[in-house]
Amino acid sequence: MRCLLPISKKVLLPALLLAATPLLAQTPAKTNDTTTPLHLLKPDYPVPYGQVKAEDVKQVLDRVYAYLNAATPAELVDKKTNAAITDRKKFNADAIIKPGDFRLTSYEWGVTYAGMLRASETTGDPKYAAYTASRLKFLGELVPYYRAYQTAHPEAPTPVRSVMQPHALDDAGAICAAMIKTQRLDPKANLRPMIDNFMSYIMTKEFRLPDGTLARNRPQPNTLWLDDLFMSVPAIAQMGKLTGERRYYDEAVKQVTQFAPRMFDKQKGLYMHGWVQDMAEHPEFHWARANGWAILTKVELLDVLPADHPGRPAVLELLRVHARGLADRQHGTGFWHQLLDRNDSYLETSATAIYVYSIAHAVNQGWLDAKVYGPMALLAWNAVSTKVNAQGQVEGTCVGTGMGFDPAFYYYRPVNVYAAHGYGPVLLAGAEITQLLKQHPYGINDSSVQTLK
């Protein structure tokens, strides 16, 4: 007679038998050091890591270009009617440059013009250089249009007042350097009248200390601003290249080597932002963007300084010590802090982009070791690329900044997508990373980025 079990027991018995049987083949292996190559696990990086491709860099550059090309019209209009002014023979006192998001004559736009030129050079895409050529040609046409009126009304805020009557290095240096680069590329550009006017201001009219060091009388008398290295030296050096006159190279080297003893801390490899002649000791705030202007200045100078110039070794050594100081303070995300040695200050985009360009360019020129500095430049570019939004605007850029003697001044400077300081550096950075990828390919070894040559 068969033993009859209740239905529920018939169902449970096979399950119980299966439960008693080892299921080794179906149990996932435990993730530990003996079952898994843990060193190959993908970290949770906050920015892309080891994923730099030339086509992706180009997409970022194109987004920035598209935004700026639309946001900076090169057109003269009547400020009352907004109607275009095409007749340049008849002067209209109400004529203005059609308002856009940025000023075509600012020092920040001098950097943007240079960035566009370099982007064309490394990518082969002519539209970037055409942007610079068209805007500078437009400015060159406005100078004779406004000359008589500006002469009769020196204080009138015409669109080209800073071009015709510069009052500070900010008015002159960066845009002059971009004009000289453009003039060298195209001798027919006819920018020389503006170039000569800017150079006259820089060389003969800007305030200087008794030893000839370029200075300002704000915020204190006899003040050196680190920013002023960039607002003067690249233009002076480029003038040397344009004219072949050695006096310009001598002046450029003099400024770099006379700023350094006052402002550069060799132990830290960083510059302080400001130096005041009458101060026995100085508040040392190592502002990121000013350090950017300083390292960019040395790169710009070395690009054109003759190999046999006696000042070249000193400039090159300053570049290397500065690059080392910056490398030691790069944040894990790839950015640098607003105050370089204060890790609780915010991470800032424009300075990071300037460092990308300057360090990558120095690597490409053979001034810095590619294996040492290539990976940090790639990481920094990846960081910067995350700050270019879908509209092509650059986020996380500190607004224009004077000189302060307390930390709060730097800690709480606002950031804004309309801070013009971010755009030129991002263009320069993307352009130079494009060149770095050509000259120094990289690979992944044990999960880390390594420059291969």
Side-chain angles (χ1 to χ4, degrees):
M1 185 176 183
R2 290 183 300 167
C3 178
L4 298 176
L5 294 173
I7 295 293
S8 59
K9 290 184 178 180
K10 286 182 179 180
V11 173
L12 288 172
L13 187 59
L16 291 170
L17 292 172
L18 285 172
T21 304
L23 298 177
L24 296 178
Q26 300 179 31
T27 302
K30 184 187 293 185
T31 301
N32 60 31
D33 194 47
T34 62
T35 63
T36 307
L38 299 179
H39 66 289
L40 296 180
L41 292 178
K42 186 172 178 59
D44 187 19
Y45 290 114
V47 300
Y49 183 82
Q51 304 172 32
V52 187
K53 298 179 181 178
E55 55 267 31
D56 295 335
V57 177
K58 182 68 162 54
Q59 287 180 8
V60 174
L61 292 175
D62 283 345
R63 289 207 306 276
V64 174
Y65 167 84
Y67 167 60
L68 295 184
N69 195 44
T72 54
E75 185 179 357
L76 202 64
V77 299
D78 187 299
K79 68 181 179 182
K80 294 180 179 177
T81 66
N82 204 37
I85 296 174
T86 56
D87 184 358
R88 301 295 171 80
K89 295 180 180 178
K90 182 179 179 181
F91 181 73
N92 182 344
D94 291 324
I96 60 170
I97 296 175
K98 186 175 182 179
D101 289 349
F102 306 99
R103 292 179 296 120
L104 297 182
T105 57
S106 70
Y107 74 83
E108 301 96 328
W109 235 241
V111 187
T112 301
Y113 295 138
M116 291 284 189
L117 294 178
R118 186 60 177 159
S120 275
E121 189 176 3
T122 64
T123 67
D125 189 334
K127 70 172 179 279
Y128 305 113
Y131 174 96
T132 294
S134 64
R135 268 64 178 185
L136 294 184
K137 180 175 183 291
F138 173 67
L139 294 179
E141 292 170 349
L142 292 189
V143 168
Y145 180 79
Y146 279 100
R147 183 175 287 118
Y149 182 80
Q150 190 78 73
T151 300
H153 306 85
E155 300 305 314
T158 71
V160 287
R161 181 186 175 194
S162 64
V163 177
M164 300 177 69
Q165 300 174 347
H167 285 81
L169 289 175
D170 288 0
D171 293 337
I175 194 167
C176 181
M179 286 183 178
I180 297 174
K181 291 177 181 180
T182 304
Q183 186 69 48
R184 286 175 51 207
L185 288 171
D186 179 12
K188 297 180 181 179
N190 195 31
L191 303 175
R192 191 64 187 265
M194 291 187 291
I195 291 169
D196 290 343
N197 188 50
F198 283 135
M199 289 308 304
S200 173
Y201 178 81
I202 295 170
M203 296 294 286
T204 68
K205 297 175 184 177
E206 174 64 19
F207 175 73
R208 295 172 182 247
L209 299 183
D211 66 356
T213 306
L214 291 163
R216 308 190 197 191
N217 279 312
R218 66 180 179 92
Q220 302 289 337
N222 302 312
T223 299
L224 299 190
W225 291 56
L226 185 58
D227 319 53
D228 282 346
L229 276 178
F230 182 75
M231 306 304 162
S232 59
V233 170
I236 296 169
Q238 285 290 330
M239 197 65 174
K241 186 70 174 179
L242 181 67
T243 65
E245 294 183 42
R246 202 171 183 89
R247 67 186 178 99
Y248 291 112
Y249 296 131
D250 295 342
E251 177 66 19
V253 170
K254 170 185 170 180
Q255 294 303 324
V256 170
T257 55
Q258 290 186 178
F259 266 69
R262 295 169 165 117
M263 307 183 76
F264 188 59
D265 186 328
K266 291 184 178 179
Q267 297 302 313
K268 293 182 177 180
L270 302 176
Y271 286 85
M272 68 174 81
H273 186 198
W275 179 92
V276 180
Q277 181 173 270
D278 296 332
M279 283 185 173
E281 57 180 313
H282 293 81
E284 293 199 19
F285 293 105
H286 306 290
W287 182 40
R289 190 158 67 226
N291 271 265
W293 296 138
I295 194 168
L296 180 55
T297 294
K298 293 188 281 283
V299 166
E300 290 273 300
L301 176 53
L302 289 168
D303 265 344
V304 296
L305 191 64
D308 64 349
H309 194 282
R312 188 176 179 89
V315 176
L316 186 56
E317 178 60 17
L318 278 171
L319 169 69
R320 289 171 173 159
V321 177
H322 197 185
R324 183 69 262 163
L326 294 173
D328 290 344
R329 288 164 180 83
Q330 187 176 24
H331 187 262
T333 59
F335 290 99
W336 276 264
H337 289 277
Q338 164 83 337
L339 288 176
L340 291 167
D341 53 351
R342 300 202 181 198
N343 293 345
D344 57 343
S345 63
Y346 63 82
L347 299 171
E348 204 276 334
T349 303
S350 67
T352 300
I354 297 172
Y355 301 156
V356 173
Y357 172 77
S358 300
I359 290 169
H361 191 72
V363 167
N364 289 333
Q365 295 296 100
W367 305 327
L368 293 176
D369 189 322
K371 290 182 171 60
V372 174
Y373 291 95
M376 65 173 282
L378 293 170
L379 175 63
W381 166 254
N382 278 346
V384 167
S385 70
T386 67
K387 291 297 185 178
V388 179
N389 65 28
Q391 291 73 43
Q393 296 172 316
V394 176
E395 300 173 344
T397 295
C398 176
V399 300
T401 299
M403 184 183 300
F405 299 132
D406 63 84
F409 174 76
Y410 294 98
Y411 271 69
Y412 297 102
R413 295 301 292 159
V415 297
N416 198 292
V417 294
Y418 299 111
H421 316 71
Y423 291 88
V426 168
L427 290 165
L428 285 168
E432 205 60 39
I433 286 294
T434 300
Q435 188 64 26
L436 185 76
L437 293 172
K438 295 176 187 176
Q439 292 184 215
H440 301 284
Y442 73 93
I444 304 296
N445 188 310
D446 280 344
S447 302
S448 71
V449 173
Q450 302 286 328
T451 303
L452 301 180
K453 70 173 187 178

